[in-house]
Amino acid sequence: MRVAVWPMIDLEADDALASAAQSAAADERVQKVCIWTPDKDLAQCVRGDHVVQVDRRTQKIRDAASVREKFGVEPALIPDFLALVGDTADGYPGLEGIGLVSAARLLGRYGPLESFPFEALGNRRELALLFKNLATLRTDAHLFDNVEELRWHGPTKAFETCVIQLNDTRLLARALKARGD
């Protein structure tokens, strides 16, 4: 169907997206990488306006400035931020008593969790570091040899057959629109 697919055995899908974004962004032929997901943890992949996050539901495109505006921290600090506030979608609660504003304030003051003085988190530091590890996406998976493998050329007849079987004609219409039909 001309859709890039990678078998995930040791990684989660978010790690594949992060790895693909990193590899594609490193290729000088790539003008812009768009990661289409509202998932907060993928905001850590945003780099300036070269790697952006697209949230189709809210019709927002987040570059680095938009990530700072939304979360109060740089994209690189998103794992630290999520470690403090938690991420229910990924199953870790964060640290009790630390909300969005206080997390951004702490990170603005001290930087990454590893730089926090003991008194900032006390005995909860190790737990925060565990949550940061869970929130940090891998970017080192080798998923393709040439960025051209990711280029989408529109839906094939197999794609059309699949969406008819799924009884989702809107998907085909969106794919044709994306192709420019």
Side-chain angles (χ1 to χ4, degrees), residues 70-74 77-86 93-113 116 120-121 124 128:
K70 179 172 177 63
F71 298 105
V73 299
E74 297 293 321
L77 289 175
I78 290 295
D80 304 82
F81 180 80
L82 293 174
L84 294 172
V85 301
L95 301 183
E96 191 173 322
I98 298 182
L100 304 173
V101 173
S102 58
R105 193 175 301 127
L106 284 166
L107 292 166
R109 183 173 182 185
Y110 300 120
L113 291 175
F116 278 37
L121 297 176
R124 303 183 303 169

Side-chain angles (χ1 to χ4, degrees), residues 3-19:
V3 175
V5 177
W6 305 295
M8 294 287 99
I9 297 168
D10 296 324
L11 299 175
E12 293 187 16
D14 288 354
D15 296 311
L17 290 171
S19 291

